[in-house]
Amino acid sequence: MIISGISLSLIPAMAQFNTVSSASDHYREESVQAATKDKETASDNTGSGKGVSENTGKSGARGDVQRQMVVERYLSVSYPLPRIKVTSPYGYRKDPFTGKRKFHGGIDLQAHGDKVLAMMAGTVVKVGQDKTSGKYVTLQHGNCMISYCHLSKILVARGTAVRPRDAVGITGSTGRSTGEHLHITCRLNGKSVDPAILFEHVRRVQQECVSALAEL
C-alpha cells in the first residue's frame, strides 16, 4: 500500500483508540505470561529429568494461541481504501470554490468508484445526505468517530455493527465536491483531529504484528 502526503510529525504520539488498545494490552500480557511459563517448565524439566518431547505439544499449542492472537490483532484494523493517496491534507488550504484561505477539517483521498472500508470494529451511528458532505456514513469506534463523505452509494444502515474491512459505501462526488474523492473526518474524544493519525495507527498495529509473528 502507498501512503503519501502525510506529515507524521503532526500526529499525536499518545492518540489511542479504545476498540483496539485493550487487544494490544491483552496480547502483551498473554505473551509475557506464556514466556514465563515456558521458562519455568524448562527449569522443572531440567531438574526432574523429564524428556523434552513430553512438553513439546503444550509449547506448540501455546505458540498457536499466541500466533492466532497476533493475527486477530492484525485484522482488527484496516485502511479505508486499497490505495491511500492524499490529495488534500487536514488544515488550512485555498478553498477550491472561493479561492480564499479556509480550514479543511478532514483529509481527501484519491478514489475511483472504490469500496470504502470500516477501519476498525464499530457501529454505524449516522447515515444521510446534505449539500456539503453529500452522501455520508458516520461510524463510532469507541472514543473515535469517523465520517466518510461525498459517497455515490451508502451500503449500511444506522445501527449496523461493522467489522474491519466491511464495505460501508462507494466513493463518489456528491455534495460540495469538485471531483470524485473520499473525504474523511475524525473526532477523537469529541475533538476534531487530523485523520492521518488513523493511517499511522493502522500502520503501527500491523507492523507490530508482523514483527511479533517473526519472533514466534
Side-chain angles (χ1 to χ4, degrees), residues 33-210:
Q33 290 178 352
T36 301
K37 289 181 180 179
D38 282 343
K39 291 182 179 179
E40 291 175 349
T41 301
S43 178
D44 291 342
N45 288 344
T46 300
S48 61
K50 293 182 180 179
V52 175
S53 60
E54 182 177 338
N55 293 281
T56 301
K58 293 181 180 179
S59 178
R62 186 179 296 113
D64 290 341
V65 171
Q66 290 180 341
R67 188 173 293 104
Q68 181 62 31
M69 290 174 66
V70 177
V71 171
E72 289 178 357
R73 183 173 180 238
Y74 182 94
L75 296 176
S76 71
V77 293
S78 171
Y79 289 104
L81 295 174
R83 174 187 172 91
I84 302 299
K85 182 177 181 180
V86 178
T87 56
S88 185
Y90 181 87
Y92 283 96
R93 68 172 185 176
K94 184 177 181 180
D95 188 283
F97 287 94
T98 65
K100 297 181 179 180
R101 188 170 183 268
K102 186 178 180 181
F103 188 79
H104 185 221
I107 195 169
D108 292 345
L109 303 180
Q110 186 180 83
H112 300 286
D114 299 305
K115 288 183 178 180
V116 180
L117 310 179
M119 299 184 70
M120 297 173 281
T123 304
V124 180
V125 293
K126 194 173 183 180
V127 297
Q129 182 171 2
D130 59 38
K131 294 181 179 180
T132 301
S133 299
K135 293 181 180 180
Y136 65 88
V137 174
T138 300
L139 307 180
Q140 181 170 5
H141 309 280
N143 59 340
C144 180
M145 300 276 283
I146 303 173
S147 292
Y148 301 108
C149 308
H150 306 309
L151 305 176
S152 63
K153 187 176 183 180
I154 295 173
L155 301 179
V156 291
R158 182 179 177 184
T160 302
V162 295
R163 300 167 298 177
R165 295 171 183 79
D166 280 352
V168 300
I170 304 295
T171 59
S173 185
T174 57
R176 192 173 185 270
S177 170
T178 57
E180 183 175 353
H181 67 284
L182 177 63
H183 176 77
I184 300 177
T185 64
C186 177
R187 299 188 72 84
L188 189 60
N189 294 318
K191 297 181 178 180
S192 175
V193 297
D194 187 345
I197 67 172
L198 300 171
F199 309 141
E200 171 60 14
H201 175 67
V202 173
R203 185 202 63 78
R204 179 179 58 80
V205 169
Q206 294 188 344
Q207 187 177 62
E208 287 179 0
C209 290
V210 170

